[in-house]
Amino acid sequence: MDTAVLEQMLDETFDHAVVHHGYTNYMRDYGVIVHATADPSTGITPSHLRHLFRYCVEARCETSLPAEPWRVSSDDRLIDHETVARAAGSPPGST
């Protein structure tokens, strides 16, 4: 893919919610899933967009938000610590 086309595609995801990003289970490719929405008056249906970067050797993510919104964005009680621990390779019940 041409770099300019990729840059334009990523610019179009600005101000939408990144709902997941990270390396695939096989650790070769990097995926980004975006929930794209528009003003309801436009009639555009919200959708999830998946971008898969194949053979990705490095990925860097940045946010334009300062630290404070991240601190108050979600309650830690909503995190399923068992699932996080299993994904990190910790045995169940060790959280």
Side-chain angles (χ1 to χ4, degrees), residues 17-22 31-36 47-52:
V18 174
V19 294
H20 177 78
H21 68 93
V32 178
I33 299 175
V34 176
H35 185 239
S47 63
H48 284 91
L49 307 174
R50 180 179 184 224
H51 303 288
L52 184 65

Side-chain angles (χ1 to χ4, degrees), residues 1 16 26 30 35-36 48 53 56-57 59 64 75-77 84 89:
M1 175 180 283
H16 293 292
Y26 50 89
Y30 193 86
H35 185 239
H48 284 91
F53 299 91
C56 184
V57 296
S64 58
D75 190 317
D76 282 347
R77 293 174 294 182
V84 172

Side-chain angles (χ1 to χ4, degrees), residues 14-95:
F14 181 79
D15 209 23
H16 293 292
V18 174
V19 294
H20 177 78
H21 68 93
Y23 278 96
T24 57
N25 291 341
Y26 50 89
M27 297 299 293
R28 184 193 72 186
D29 303 337
Y30 193 86
V32 178
I33 299 175
V34 176
H35 185 239
T37 60
D39 184 320
S41 67
T42 65
I44 299 172
T45 305
S47 63
H48 284 91
L49 307 174
R50 180 179 184 224
H51 303 288
L52 184 65
F53 299 91
R54 299 184 70 204
Y55 312 108
C56 184
V57 296
E58 180 181 358
R60 285 182 263 157
C61 298
E62 295 181 16
T63 180
S64 58
L65 292 175
E68 185 56 29
W70 288 110
R71 279 194 279 276
V72 298
S73 65
S74 292
D75 190 317
D76 282 347
R77 293 174 294 182
L78 299 174
I79 298 172
D80 179 354
H81 293 284
E82 281 290 318
T83 301
V84 172
R86 279 194 302 277
S90 301
S94 65
T95 58

